[in-house]
Amino acid sequence: MPKRAKILITGGAGFIGSHVMRRFIKTDKYHIVNLDKLTYAGNLENLKDIEDSSNYEFIKGDICDFEFVKGLFTRNNFYGVIHLAAESHVDRSISNPIEFIQTNVVGTMSLLNAAKNSWNQSANHRFYHVSTDEVYGSLGDEGFFSETTPYDPKSPYSASKASSDHFVRAYGNTYGLPHVISNSSNNYGPNQFPEKLIPLMIHNIKNRKPLPIYGKGYNIRDWLYVEDHARAIELIFEQGGNGETYNVGGFNEWKNIDLIHLLCDIMDKKLGNEQGTSRKLITLVKDRAGHDMRYAIDASKLNSELGWKPSLQFAEGLEKTVDWYFENEKWLNDVTSGDYQKYYEEYYTNR
Ligand code: NAD
Ligand code: DAU
């Protein structure tokens, strides 16, 4: 790899992207170009502390614009790509699947094509696709997703991510494009948009609003602190094998209802409420269509090959997350003003 290699990170203004960006910029090993369309989920406030770094540039643009992406690759001699830009919320994919095909499939194709043409079969490059464990479908009470679990996506979001994973591997197989893929479980932490479970509940508890739990709250997710994911991404980008896949997970399964109980208790303590106050806001609502029951990741390959393991206990990570949302009230107020109210009413009122 060349010194201060130029890498393209897509979706760097989003939740996970901003943590990846910060990590990579601080190492000072790379020159980073952040390509982001700044959709509702992209926020340059997430990058305020690093925006003046000399090894960083931001470009506002759409990964689906083939000509623009091609031009970007022609003007820059990218050593690698870390592709995170996506439509990422399952509920939105249920009401608007087309947008997910466009961004997640067509957008990924546009990047793959530009990389293929620009790198011209040279092995000294790397296309890294950051993907999700949802491509594997849904688990019953037993077992874990491993890298060899057959794909069985069940929502428009996961089908679009599965499709883009397949295209990445197809470009590797057909055109020799050097690539690596990781499939991660549910992330949580600072800067997550309050449409996802944990920040949505933090926002609602703060505002004494109902806490909408889908179905009975028995669905299970495997939670991973976002900075641990960013550390895994750095390791995989630098040391992962060509053509390999790595699962990333928290070894941390929680039933939604138990997680929300824990969150309510943490927040009651911080708000000086009597214990049990916030739990009273819990409201069981109509289930998500096709709701996957359980995700659980076997991340032993990443552990044994690259030495990665999550660093935080869940209660500690959750407390850090709650503290961040308390300390960044302006961030939360800004992202929940304007169109957010419309979103909230559409998805939750009379659900
Ligand atoms: P996010 O929704 O917070 O951010 C997505 C970013 O992509 C935003 O900055 C947005 O502006 C940008 N973007 C969207 N469409 C674009 C386009 N057409 N062109 C350029 N930029 C565009 O997402 P996230 O939660 O940070 O997830 C990042 C990636 O990680 C996604 O690919 C997602 O599928 C994957 N992932 C997420 C999780 C999770 O728990 N959040 C877990 C596993 C994998
Ligand atoms: O597993 C990785 C995936 O995790 C990522 O690929 C996705 O980008 C990310 O959004 C996440 O998907 P989920 O659908 O699991 O996350 P979400 O936060 O939307 O929901 C978590 C669980 O909580 C799920 O079982 C649905 C439930 N839920 C969610 C919301 C928003 C509720 O009960 N109520 C809610 O209001």
Side-chain angles (χ1 to χ4, degrees), residues 27-302:
T27 67
D28 207 26
K29 284 186 280 191
Y30 306 96
H31 182 93
I32 310 286
V33 177
N34 174 14
L35 170 61
D36 197 299
K37 187 179 170 185
L38 300 182
T39 66
Y40 78 93
N43 186 349
L44 290 178
E45 283 298 315
N46 296 345
L47 299 166
K48 264 273 167 265
D49 56 324
I50 46 170
E51 67 182 5
D52 293 330
S53 309
S54 61
N55 56 345
Y56 171 70
E57 61 190 282
F58 172 68
I59 297 178
K60 184 171 180 206
D62 188 342
I63 56 167
C64 301
D65 183 340
F66 276 62
E67 283 308 309
F68 162 74
V69 171
K70 189 171 131 198
L72 195 62
F73 273 79
T74 309
R75 285 193 301 280
N76 293 276
N77 183 18
F78 290 125
Y79 159 73
V81 175
I82 304 179
H83 174 36
L84 295 116
E87 285 296 331
S88 68
H89 192 42
V90 174
D91 292 320
R92 292 188 194 246
S93 84
I94 294 168
S95 53
N96 190 3
I98 305 294
E99 210 171 312
F100 283 66
I101 309 293
Q102 187 60 21
T103 301
N104 299 358
V105 184
V106 177
T108 302
M109 280 295 297
S110 152
L111 290 162
L112 284 168
N113 227 40
K116 163 181 106 51
N117 292 339
S118 155
W119 297 345
N120 201 17
Q121 303 209 317
S122 154
N124 188 26
H125 290 281
R126 167 145 289 195
F127 190 103
Y128 179 1
H129 186 223
V130 177
S131 191
T132 171
D133 61 356
E134 298 198 12
V135 298
Y136 301 121
S138 178
L139 291 165
D141 292 342
E142 305 273 304
F144 297 90
F145 296 135
S146 80
E147 287 81 1
T148 55
T149 302
Y151 275 32
D152 187 18
K154 293 187 179 301
S155 73
Y157 163 69
S158 53
S160 70
K161 292 295 289 188
S163 171
S164 50
D165 283 3
H166 288 321
F167 273 113
V168 174
R169 293 193 182 100
Y171 268 62
N173 181 63
T174 312
Y175 307 112
L177 188 84
H179 67 281
V180 67
I181 295 175
S182 62
N183 297 86
S184 161
S185 65
N186 289 61
N187 285 217
Y188 71 101
N191 306 96
Q192 189 169 31
F193 191 80
E195 63 186 350
K196 308 281 166 43
L197 181 71
I198 291 178
L200 181 100
M201 297 296 166
I202 293 175
H203 176 62
N204 285 12
I205 293 171
K206 275 179 97 235
N207 292 289
R208 317 299 314 145
K209 282 170 70 174
L211 310 180
I213 302 226
Y214 300 163
K216 294 198 167 94
Y218 294 163
N219 302 67
I220 292 174
R221 297 293 183 264
D222 172 358
W223 293 93
L224 173 65
Y225 193 66
V226 63
E227 286 177 7
D228 278 333
H229 189 192
R231 183 164 48 85
I233 288 174
E234 185 186 4
L235 266 177
I236 294 166
F237 181 70
E238 293 181 346
Q239 295 175 36
N242 182 33
E244 293 292 326
T245 297
Y246 297 89
N247 280 355
V248 193
F251 301 100
N252 181 38
E253 289 182 56
W254 281 81
K255 229 182 236 174
N256 292 338
I257 188 75
D258 296 339
L259 187 163
I260 298 311
H261 282 158
L262 175 64
L263 182 64
C264 285
D265 296 349
I266 290 176
M267 289 199 57
D268 278 344
K269 211 183 274 168
K270 292 199 186 282
L271 290 163
N273 291 338
E274 195 183 314
Q275 277 299 309
T277 307
S278 296
R279 288 188 185 207
K280 293 192 190 118
L281 297 169
I282 291 174
T283 312
L284 298 183
V285 298
K286 187 170 164 231
D287 209 351
R288 174 184 279 175
H291 197 172
D292 287 343
M293 193 58 199
R294 174 173 166 254
Y295 306 143
I297 278 277
D298 173 0
S300 54
K301 176 177 173 183
L302 185 58

